[in-house]
């Protein structure tokens, strides 16, 4: 009896474990596209007066709304749970669309983050309320902006400007709630790792692996 148990542990169990994890990896090597080819930002400028583009970048996209100071805790949650772990990756950026007129409040948030974080990959981009509404609407999402043009959700956009998430009805996920740290630590972090895995696998396949991803 003991011999059979030893044989099972040594030979059968590793095979079962391998098949289990292999099937799991195959199931999650692609994060579905929720909305393909979303618009770029055009001539909109950041707090630093720079133009920011979604092209060739993995982007975490957010909408601050006019009450950015009131909701600054959301950015601190995102900064702690995701940004600080991955902001050194060359191909990653965090972009927040803000209404024109909120530059002063936005700078206060950036300065507060900058007290303990390298904020070089944070980009706060400004547009008119009408432009922000139009831009959000073309994302074709279930969720809506609030009356202040904001949402606690952030979205994953790949290098080809596809908004990514989970499409199955039981676990549909188009955005990740920054108000809830657990949502960032669990669902968003899991999905974000899938995106990184996709690009790492593609680089490896093309014999062009780099440390940036």
């Amino acid at each position: 009896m003991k011999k059979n148990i030893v044989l099972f542990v040594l030979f059968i169990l590793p095979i079962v474990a391998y098949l289990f994890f292999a099937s799991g990896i195959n199931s999650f090597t692609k994060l579905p596209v929720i909305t393909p080819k979303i618009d770029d930002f055009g001539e909109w400028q950041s707090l630093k007066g720079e133009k920011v583009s979604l092209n060739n970048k993995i982007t975490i996209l957010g909408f601050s709304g006019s009450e950015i100071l009131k909701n600054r805790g959301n950015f601190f949650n995102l900064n702690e749970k995701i940004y600080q772990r991955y902001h050194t990756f060359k191909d990653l950026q965090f972009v927040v669309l803000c209404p024109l007129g909120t530059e002063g409040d936005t700078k206060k948030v950036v300065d507060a983050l900058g007290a303990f974080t390298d904020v070089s990959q944070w980009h706060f981009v400004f547009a008119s309320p009408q432009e922000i509404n139009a831009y959000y609407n073309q994302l074709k999402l279930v969720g809506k902006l609030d009356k202040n043009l904001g949402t606690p959700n952030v979205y994953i956009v790949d290098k080809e400007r596809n908004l990514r998430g989970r499409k199955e009805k039981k676990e549909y996920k188009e955005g990740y709630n920054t108000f809830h740290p657990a949502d960032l630590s669990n669902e968003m972090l899991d999905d974000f790792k899938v995106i990184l895995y996709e690009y790492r696998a593609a680089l490896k396949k093309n014999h062009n692996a780099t440390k940036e991803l």
Side-chain angles (χ1 to χ4, degrees):
M1 180 68 177
K2 290 182 178 179
K3 183 178 180 180
N4 291 336
I5 293 174
V6 171
L7 289 173
F8 177 80
V9 171
L10 290 177
F11 298 103
I12 306 301
L13 190 59
I15 294 173
V16 173
Y18 170 79
L19 292 174
F20 173 80
F21 287 112
S23 63
I25 290 172
N26 289 335
S27 297
F28 293 96
T29 52
K30 277 286 190 181
L31 191 65
V33 172
I34 301 295
T35 308
K37 296 295 181 183
I38 67 174
D39 292 344
D40 206 358
F41 300 132
E43 299 299 313
W44 300 342
Q45 293 188 350
S46 73
L47 192 61
K48 298 178 182 179
E50 301 170 334
K51 294 179 183 178
V52 177
S53 175
L54 296 174
N55 291 321
N56 302 314
K57 292 283 189 178
I58 298 172
T59 302
I60 305 303
L61 176 64
F63 295 79
S64 71
S66 58
E67 296 189 334
I68 187 171
L69 273 183
K70 180 180 178 181
N71 299 316
R72 62 188 179 276
N74 296 348
F75 299 102
F76 284 88
N77 289 339
L78 181 61
N79 188 71
E80 178 183 355
K81 298 299 181 181
I82 307 294
Y83 181 89
Q84 288 186 348
R85 295 181 62 170
Y86 294 102
H87 76 277
T88 56
F89 290 165
K90 177 182 176 181
D91 297 330
L92 175 66
Q93 61 182 356
F94 288 62
V95 179
V96 183
L97 292 186
C98 312
L100 287 169
T102 62
E103 289 87 347
D105 287 346
T106 300
K107 188 176 186 307
K108 292 177 182 178
V109 173
V110 174
D111 289 344
L113 290 171
F116 55 89
T117 300
D118 172 10
V119 294
S120 59
Q121 298 292 55
W122 276 107
H123 303 287
F124 292 82
V125 176
F126 296 89
S128 70
Q130 294 80 9
E131 290 172 324
I132 291 174
N133 265 322
Y135 189 86
Y136 187 86
N137 289 338
Q138 59 91 31
L139 300 181
K140 300 177 182 178
L141 302 176
V142 174
K144 302 299 180 184
L145 294 178
D146 62 26
K147 63 181 181 180
N148 300 307
L149 301 175
T151 173
N153 287 346
V154 292
Y155 309 93
I156 297 175
V157 181
D158 67 24
K159 291 185 177 184
E160 290 74 40
R161 305 204 317 267
N162 301 309
L163 193 148
R164 310 285 284 274
R166 307 182 187 186
K167 296 190 75 171
E168 294 185 11
K169 290 183 179 179
K170 291 183 179 180
E171 58 172 19
Y172 179 79
K173 178 71 66 173
E174 61 187 18
Y176 308 85
N177 196 323
T178 57
F179 183 77
H180 300 292
D183 198 19
L184 301 177
S185 298
N186 297 318
E187 293 177 322
M188 182 175 182
L189 189 57
D190 287 347
D191 291 353
F192 183 69
K193 287 179 179 178
V194 173
I195 290 289
L196 293 184
Y197 177 85
E198 285 184 38
Y199 284 105
R200 282 171 172 162
L203 288 170
K204 187 175 181 180
K205 183 177 180 180
N206 294 325
H207 305 290
N208 190 31
T210 69
K211 293 183 179 180
E212 282 77 10
L213 285 176

